[in-house]
Amino acid sequence: MTAHPWSQLFGSGTPLVGAPLGGGASTPALVRAVTAAGGFGFLPAGYKTPEAVAADLAELDRTGTPYGVNLFVPGPPEIDEETFRRYAREIAAEGAPYGLDLAGAPLVHDDDHWADKIDLLVAHPVPVVSFTFGLPDAAAVAALRRVGTRLLVTVTSVAEALAARDLGVDGLVAQGTEAGGHSGTHTPRRPAPPTSTLPLVRDVAAATGLPVVAAGGVAGPDDVRDLVAAGATAVAVGTLLLRTDESGASRTHRDALADPAFTRTVLTRAFTGRPARGLHNAFIDRYEASAPLGYPELHHLTRGMRVAAAAAGHPGRHRLPAGHHRPRGRRGRAPHGGALTPPGCRAGRVDGRRRLRGRGRSVRKPAPRMILFRVATGSTPRSAGTGRRVPPFARPQDLPRRPGRDRPGVPCRAGRPARRARSRPEHGRAWALTAHRVMRGSRDRRPGCLLCVVVQ
């Protein structure tokens, strides 16, 4: 029997990849949860010291979890002292509430401990290493290949993909403009025209012949199927994981993702000096027009302010990475979203009520901590019968319920039909749908368990 292409690249049971979420959002616990659910998790090494990365690797190794590591490729300085100082003075008032002197902050350019991290991954090999922001040098590629590591490069255009192929990498991460967090463009001063993930995947796969991981705008099982059909070997999810129990995202960030006040995402360089997609907030509104390019100099300039704002619960000054999930047209009532691992799904364990067979009553099961997401596939429709708006990225426990009447559907069994297929509008349309019903082409196109609804 021929192995699936994603199994050959990652050794995983499904074509899902947990994207490396920098800034502390991707934790070893989140990587373990993604892998336990059948996907393949990536640990971000960006912004961390080699010692911190080594500690994370050791923690994952203790549990025998397969995983990948993502590295930021360093670039040359992109901002001069005068431009940096002008912007620092302009945003100085934003640091004042936290006792920070942004106007006097030093200009810092570093390579994110590039050489030390390469040495660490040579001494401590991992199955896959991915690179973002550019092409690694030939020496790093050769060193990692000698220890048996497969290499991926993030690309945002066909031209970048061809350059990566010529370097001899094993695969590509095609990042569409919908992707949350930093753009992986190799030339931030001359970025390629914005391209949606699906056509980018199709073009990159056709031009290079390499395995392609699709990244950006993944809102549920429909997107996974569409991207795999377009030529993707695997599909990365990122924003969908930010509000999970295992995520290291700040409480301020988590709450903002579920706050109806944040209505859109934008590409901005105001926080870090490099284009990055996130929720539009007051800081972006005030400074985007005047913000210069200059990464990582602006990242270091605003980092203290962002950390303080997150701790104080001030989303207006906090960087809030989030992807753009395009609305999908469906017949009937607009769906509210889909669950990564519905209650009782063998791919994971989450909160929920389950009806005990033969007991005739519902009981509250314990709530082991496992990955879970809930995402609005378009605007925030009003929940039926309540008049309340369902915020984007809301979890099931955040949604309005009618006490004593709402029952999540029977857990997914990775392809076997559910015995009961009831779903209340307040819970969206995802609880009871199984992989079996989706893959058989049922008229009911409601999203189901993302980790179980895969192309087989």
Side-chain angles (χ1 to χ4, degrees):
M1 181 175 178
T2 303
H4 292 302
W6 59 81
S7 180
Q8 295 173 354
L9 186 62
F10 297 115
S12 57
T14 73
L16 293 181
V17 172
L21 308 173
S26 281
T27 62
L30 182 58
V31 174
R32 283 196 302 270
V34 169
T35 302
F40 185 84
F42 270 88
L43 187 71
Y47 308 138
K48 296 180 181 178
T49 64
E51 293 75 19
V53 176
D56 288 343
L57 302 185
E59 182 175 346
L60 288 170
D61 287 343
R62 282 196 295 270
T63 59
T65 302
Y67 59 93
V69 174
N70 174 256
L71 296 176
F72 289 164
V73 177
E78 294 183 339
I79 189 171
D80 58 68
E81 179 77 31
E82 180 181 353
T83 305
F84 175 85
R85 197 57 55 200
R86 174 193 60 78
Y87 189 64
R89 289 193 297 268
E90 185 177 352
I91 67 171
E94 305 294 338
Y98 315 112
L100 300 174
D101 179 18
L102 298 184
L107 188 155
V108 177
H109 179 85
D110 61 25
D111 64 358
D112 199 33
H113 308 282
W114 170 259
D116 292 337
K117 290 175 181 177
I118 294 294
D119 291 343
L120 171 64
L121 294 173
V122 169
H124 190 293
V126 298
V128 184
V129 169
S130 65
F131 300 95
T132 303
F133 298 161
L135 299 177
D137 57 84
V141 170
L144 291 169
R145 278 191 171 284
R146 280 195 298 269
V147 297
T149 298
R150 295 184 292 279
L151 307 179
L152 307 178
V153 169
T154 301
V155 298
T156 60
S157 68
V158 172
E160 292 176 355
L162 292 173
R165 181 197 64 181
D166 294 342
L167 185 63
V169 300
D170 300 284
L172 303 167
V173 179
Q175 185 193 53
T177 188
E178 303 96 334
H182 279 114
S183 167
T185 178
H186 299 182
T187 54
R189 290 194 178 277
R190 302 181 305 281
T195 306
S196 186
T197 305
L198 194 144
L200 179 63
V201 166
R202 184 185 298 117
D203 294 346
V204 166
T208 65
L210 292 175
V212 176
V213 179
V218 180
D222 289 338
D223 294 310
V224 175
R225 287 191 297 273
D226 291 347
L227 290 167
V228 170
T233 299
V235 178
V237 293
T239 304
L240 301 180
L241 303 176
L242 284 172
R243 299 190 74 233
T244 61
D245 291 338
E246 290 79 6
S247 165
S250 68
R251 172 54 55 188
T252 302
H253 190 183
R254 293 167 180 258
D255 291 346
L257 289 169
D259 189 343
F262 293 95
T263 58
R264 63 191 177 104
T265 65
V266 295
L267 279 171
T268 178
R269 59 181 182 269
F271 284 107
T272 66
R274 180 178 251 278
R277 184 173 293 280
L279 298 177
H280 182 268
N281 64 6
F283 188 90
I284 295 173
D285 198 45
R286 288 192 288 267
Y287 302 110
E288 177 62 22
S290 59
L293 287 169
Y295 178 89
E297 292 87 350
L298 264 62
H299 158 72
H300 292 300
L301 171 65
T302 65
R303 186 173 190 175
M305 176 197 71
R306 290 181 278 130
V307 171
H314 298 161
R317 297 189 182 99
H318 186 27
R319 180 170 166 254
L320 305 168
H324 171 73
H325 300 127
R326 68 184 186 279
R328 299 190 60 92
R330 288 191 179 92
R331 294 181 179 179
R333 187 177 179 81
H336 294 172
L340 178 62
T341 50
C345 173
R346 72 180 186 181
R349 298 163 293 174
V350 297
D351 286 351
R353 289 183 182 274
R354 292 184 60 190
R355 181 168 292 278
L356 297 182
R357 184 183 300 178
R359 296 290 184 88
R361 60 187 178 87
S362 294
V363 298
R364 175 66 66 184
K365 300 292 286 184
R369 302 173 73 84
M370 189 61 186
I371 53 178
L372 169 71
F373 72 74
R374 191 80 169 179
V375 58
T377 56
S379 59
T380 54
R382 293 189 181 278
S383 179
T386 66
R388 295 176 57 182
R389 298 186 70 83
V390 180
F393 313 117
R395 298 175 297 179
Q397 55 264 43
D398 298 326
L399 302 181
R401 293 188 176 191
R402 292 177 291 181
R405 297 186 62 185
D406 293 337
R407 301 170 183 170
V410 168
C412 166
R413 293 300 176 190
R416 290 181 288 174
R419 288 186 295 272
R420 175 168 59 89
R422 297 182 60 182
S423 178
R424 297 286 184 181
E426 289 80 0
H427 292 237
R429 296 186 168 205
W431 285 106
L433 188 64
T434 66
H436 176 86
R437 294 173 63 196
V438 172
M439 298 312 298
R440 291 300 181 99
S442 168
R443 291 181 180 180
D444 187 345
R445 303 302 297 173
R446 298 177 293 181
C449 172
L450 183 57
L451 288 180
C452 293
V453 180
V454 296
V455 177
Q456 300 183 14

